[in-house]
Amino acid sequence: MATDKDFADYIMDQLSGAGEVTCKKMFGEYGVFLNGKMAAILADNQFFVKPTEAGRKFIGEPEEAPPYPGAKNYFLIDSLDDPDWLSELVKITEKELPLPKPKKSKVKK
């Protein structure tokens, strides 16, 4: 089951206090980006945050699960009704993530 647009819109609304948050449709699901870094995934109408040490400390004992078959475990976040907490979690996570690698430009022949 793919994530529906209403769920993606709800999560984006909840994360509006985190800063420059964007959502990009990817393979039938959504990637959630903060300041250009992919910090979370929306899959099957569930919110998965990339695991980081700071995120683990902030959450306490996070539930972990893969967002799709064959994926590494992410933090599965069930508490979606506290926008301040969710925004802080995504900000903390983003700080530990590396900048995305620059895309190589295609050379025309």
Side-chain angles (χ1 to χ4, degrees):
M1 173 179 102
T3 297
D4 61 53
K5 178 131 176 42
D6 289 339
F7 181 76
D9 290 343
Y10 174 73
I11 295 297
M12 292 306 293
D13 187 52
Q14 294 296 82
L15 296 176
S16 63
E20 187 182 325
V21 180
T22 57
C23 191
K24 181 178 176 183
K25 193 154 178 95
M26 304 171 74
F27 310 109
E29 299 295 355
Y30 293 87
V32 178
F33 297 80
L34 176 58
N35 300 323
K37 298 177 186 177
M38 191 165 121
I41 293 175
L42 304 178
D44 294 332
N45 285 338
Q46 294 180 303
F47 185 53
F48 295 88
V49 174
K50 280 195 172 185
T52 62
E53 285 305 312
R56 186 177 304 280
K57 287 178 186 174
F58 182 76
I59 296 169
E61 294 185 25
E63 179 180 349
E64 296 186 46
Y68 52 88
K72 294 180 181 179
N73 280 348
Y74 277 54
F75 298 149
L76 174 58
I77 308 301
D78 289 330
S79 303
L80 303 176
D81 296 327
D82 185 345
D84 294 332
W85 187 87
L86 286 176
S87 293
E88 188 63 24
L89 173 59
V90 171
K91 286 192 291 190
I92 287 169
T93 299
E94 182 268 339
K95 287 179 185 174
E96 277 196 35
L97 298 175
L99 288 170
K101 295 177 183 175
K103 293 185 179 185
K104 295 179 183 177
S105 60
K106 294 181 180 178
V107 178
K108 292 185 178 182
K109 293 182 180 183

